[in-house]
Amino acid sequence: MPSRVSKSIFCNQVGYLTSGDKRFWIQAREAQPFALHTPDGQAVFAGLTKPVGGDWYVGDFTALRVPGTYVLTVGSLEARVVVHRRAYGDVLEAMLRFFDYQLCGVALPEEDAGPWAHAPCHTSDAKVLGTERAVACPGGWHDAGDYGKYTVPAAKAVADLLLAHEYFPAALAHVRPMRSVHREPHLPPALEVAREEIAWLLTMQDPATGGVYHKVSTPSFPPLDTRPEDDTAPLIMSPISYAATATFCAAMAHAALVYRAHDPALASCCTDAAQRAYAWLSEHEMRPFRNPDGIFTGEYGDRELRDELLWASSAMLRMTGDSAWARVCEPLLDLDLAWELGWADVALYGVMEYLRAPSAAVSGDVRSKVKSRLLRELDALAAMAESHPFGIPMRDEDFIWGSNMVLLNRAMAFLLAEGVGVLHPAAHTVAQRAADYLFGANPLGQCYVTGFGQQPVRQPHHRPSVADDVDDPVPGMVAGGPNRNLQDEIARAKLAGRPAMTAYMDHQDSYSTNEVAIYWNSPAVFVVAGLLEAGGR
């Protein structure tokens, strides 16, 4: 039977780090020879693809470590590939600048935002639902493709950026935020960007009780073609919730530590806010948040709240170094909670805060036990990645709304673990495969980032990008990715019967596969910064 090669080479369209792994994928019935040439035809590398499951074959040219732009050929197929020491520098900057494009309440000037500039938006006070009380809560980031601002996912996004700064400052040092929109431009880039969301989060805490409001939004989503400054419906502050208060407490305690050396005044505010939030938690039951009557924006509800308490308690432990907090959070580490880094399942944030707390403040036996479980969790993810044709720790059931976040969170877990001495041999391989997949090495050949690659996301579910007069969307946004549950009308109509990993469409109406979100970009910043810092040494 003659060999059959797919119509495409599936590769990392952004580029390959000089000292990093370099792979591409094809579909075929048997191994295929491949070669790389310079643009003028000089041969630099040759190899043979290997089977990795089903009809997928992988080619590996990791040994090519000479920077340059090359032509990769497999039979009659060609692809352009770039090898560079800072191959991810531009995309990392764009991913971090996305948070500036999401800024609320301020004008984005053309000098920084280019064709995506807009006037100030959502500048009015918000009315606390069911009362006549108005609260000033300016600033922060629009959460996703809509203009709501939600405490729970904001805490995850802030934590990811703070962690990226702590772990990979060298990679982020080259990034340039929008200088004209920041109040504190002397800070390191990730801290400069995160400060805007932290300042907004502080406005969400009730000064009388210490509890934190769940969200501020208009009652309903505006039409998709609404510019930020044209979204003038009244702003409503939804009630205080346990999840919002706990995640706020954790993020503030983390920020208090990180900003001590850079912005002592902010660190002091965060310390006080975290303490008052935890006091509220101590006096209230764990009750899931549900959208009140008349509010139809993102709910971010969560039935399991013990993981939020673990994160808050561990963050307080690390912030204070007081062993009294260890006695609070150590029993929570024994619970059967999912150790993940999502906006709902946040236990792994708590685990990492516990393991990064001063060793004198925690039990050595508990610390060892936690590290052992963390290693087992990573072993399970590594085994999953080993059995996947694209080397990613994903199963069909993991391709849900925001599947790219799921993947990036899992890659992030490996890199976080290294910082506490849990070194897994698959860590950087899994992180690299996640980046390869995100940047185009997937069955659709889709680069899931706007503005990058040969096949970038062009029609995201993102109101500013839909409403502007620019053909291209805001750059640097990570799309949600394949979603086997097909939770929007156009996805159900067009994608029914597709395999889970291909249940995606680049269409502005497909909010369940093609929306963007701050908490999808934040783990992307962490993982890409980690790869760039390791590859740039």
Side-chain angles (χ1 to χ4, degrees):
M1 182 179 294
S3 64
R4 177 182 61 83
V5 180
S6 62
K7 297 180 180 180
S8 298
I9 296 173
F10 302 89
C11 62
N12 186 321
Q13 298 168 18
V14 172
Y16 297 88
L17 294 166
T18 307
S19 61
D21 291 350
K22 305 171 188 69
R23 288 188 168 195
F24 69 90
W25 286 257
I26 63 167
Q27 284 180 294
R29 289 181 176 156
E30 59 187 36
Q32 304 289 324
F34 68 91
L36 285 97
H37 300 79
T38 61
D40 61 6
Q42 179 183 354
V44 295
F45 193 89
L48 191 68
T49 62
K50 298 179 180 179
V52 286
D55 59 355
W56 288 104
Y57 284 72
V58 67
D60 192 320
F61 57 102
T62 299
L64 176 58
R65 291 179 173 240
V66 179
T69 299
Y70 301 101
V71 179
L72 167 63
T73 60
V74 183
S76 62
L77 301 177
E78 288 188 355
R80 173 182 169 273
V81 298
V82 173
V83 177
H84 193 275
R85 185 176 66 88
R86 291 192 54 80
Y88 303 151
D90 289 346
V91 72
L92 176 62
E93 178 166 294
M95 285 173 168
L96 189 65
R97 284 173 67 95
F98 162 68
F99 295 93
D100 287 346
Y101 282 112
Q102 293 293 97
L103 279 171
C104 180
V106 299
L108 295 187
E110 189 173 345
E111 64 189 84
D112 263 338
W116 302 281
H118 65 73
C121 60
H122 308 100
T123 55
S124 62
D125 291 352
K127 185 171 287 188
V128 177
L129 187 69
T131 76
E132 292 303 311
R133 180 172 170 243
V135 177
C137 50
W141 305 317
H142 299 139
D143 176 68
D146 65 287
Y147 298 128
K149 295 185 289 187
Y150 309 91
T151 300
V152 171
K156 171 188 166 46
V158 165
D160 291 346
L161 295 190
L162 297 184
L163 287 164
H165 165 77
E166 291 178 286
Y167 272 64
F168 310 120
L172 288 161
H174 300 280
V175 172
R176 297 167 300 135
M178 292 185 189
R179 297 297 183 190
S180 60
V181 298
H182 289 288
R183 289 165 286 185
E184 300 291 339
H186 64 280
L187 297 172
L191 300 191
E192 186 177 313
V193 170
R195 192 187 192 284
E196 304 297 335
E197 187 78 336
I198 292 167
W200 166 73
L201 280 168
L202 288 168
T203 72
M204 296 296 284
Q205 185 171 41
D206 178 31
T209 66
V212 180
Y213 293 102
H214 197 79
K215 61 177 177 175
V216 58
S217 69
T218 54
S220 302
F221 296 125
L224 191 56
D225 60 352
T226 303
R227 292 178 62 87
E229 63 267 41
D230 296 333
D231 182 29
T232 56
L235 295 175
I236 306 297
M237 193 165 276
S238 290
I240 291 170
S241 76
Y242 193 97
T245 306
T247 54
F248 169 94
C249 174
M252 292 303 104
H254 191 174
L257 268 179
V258 175
Y259 283 89
R260 278 177 188 170
H262 303 279
D263 190 337
L266 178 64
S268 179
C269 289
C270 291
T271 299
D272 179 65
Q275 291 170 337
R276 290 188 293 120
Y278 203 95
W280 186 96
L281 295 175
S282 300
E283 297 169 357
H284 291 80
E285 296 179 6
M286 293 181 180
R287 292 182 179 175
F289 175 84
R290 292 291 179 266
N291 263 344
D293 291 343
I295 301 295
F296 304 101
T297 50
E299 184 172 76
Y300 290 104
D302 185 7
R303 294 186 182 90
E304 175 59 83
L305 296 170
R306 294 175 299 173
D307 53 326
E308 279 78 5
L309 180 60
L310 168 60
W311 186 16
S313 303
S314 297
M316 294 297 288
L317 166 66
R318 182 171 170 238
M319 182 185 77
T320 64
D322 186 345
S323 60
W325 287 105
R327 293 191 289 274
V328 177
C329 63
E330 284 176 351
L332 297 169
L333 292 164
D334 281 332
L335 298 177
D336 186 22
L337 299 171
W339 282 17
E340 295 182 14
L341 297 167
W343 62 262
D345 295 318
V346 298
L348 191 51
Y349 288 108
V351 170
M352 295 308 304
E353 290 290 79
Y354 178 83
L355 291 177
R356 299 176 76 204
S359 58
V362 303
S363 162
D365 289 343
V366 173
R367 188 182 182 91
S368 295
K369 187 164 66 171
V370 169
K371 284 188 172 184
S372 294
R373 177 177 169 185
L374 179 56
L375 186 59
R376 292 195 301 272
E377 297 277 343
L378 298 180
D379 281 340
L381 292 176
M384 202 183 299
E386 183 68 24
S387 66
H388 195 285
F390 285 85
I392 56 176
M394 299 283 281
R395 302 155 300 188
D396 280 358
E397 54 264 38
D398 296 321
F399 288 94
I400 57 174
W401 198 328
S403 62
N404 283 337
M405 179 199 71
V406 176
L407 172 59
L408 291 163
N409 286 347
R410 290 175 178 177
M412 183 175 169
F414 281 91
L415 300 181
L416 281 174
E418 291 194 327
V420 293
V422 180
L423 308 178
H424 198 285
H428 286 261
T429 300
V430 169
Q432 183 62 65
R433 293 294 89 77
D436 291 340
Y437 173 93
L438 188 71
F439 295 151
N442 56 68
L444 296 175
Q446 176 72 58
C447 181
Y448 287 112
V449 184
T450 55
F452 288 85
Q454 289 79 53
Q455 189 176 324
V457 174
R458 299 184 186 278
Q459 300 183 61
H461 183 87
H462 179 243
R463 280 168 176 77
S465 293
V466 173
D468 62 27
D469 298 322
V470 185
D471 289 338
D472 294 323
V474 167
M477 301 189 294
V478 175
N483 177 4
R484 66 187 180 90
N485 296 314
L486 307 180
Q487 289 157 295
D488 61 70
E489 185 175 344
I490 193 167
R492 286 191 291 271
K494 301 291 187 180
L495 300 176
R498 291 273 192 95
M501 201 165 36
T502 63
Y504 165 84
M505 63 188 311
D506 185 8
H507 195 288
Q508 66 186 35
D509 292 333
S510 185
Y511 51 83
S512 72
T513 75
N514 210 34
E515 191 169 12
V516 301
I518 56 174
Y519 51 96
W520 299 342
N521 260 66
S522 58
V525 166
F526 183 94
V527 171
V528 173
L531 290 169
L532 185 57
E533 186 148 320
R537 290 172 184 161

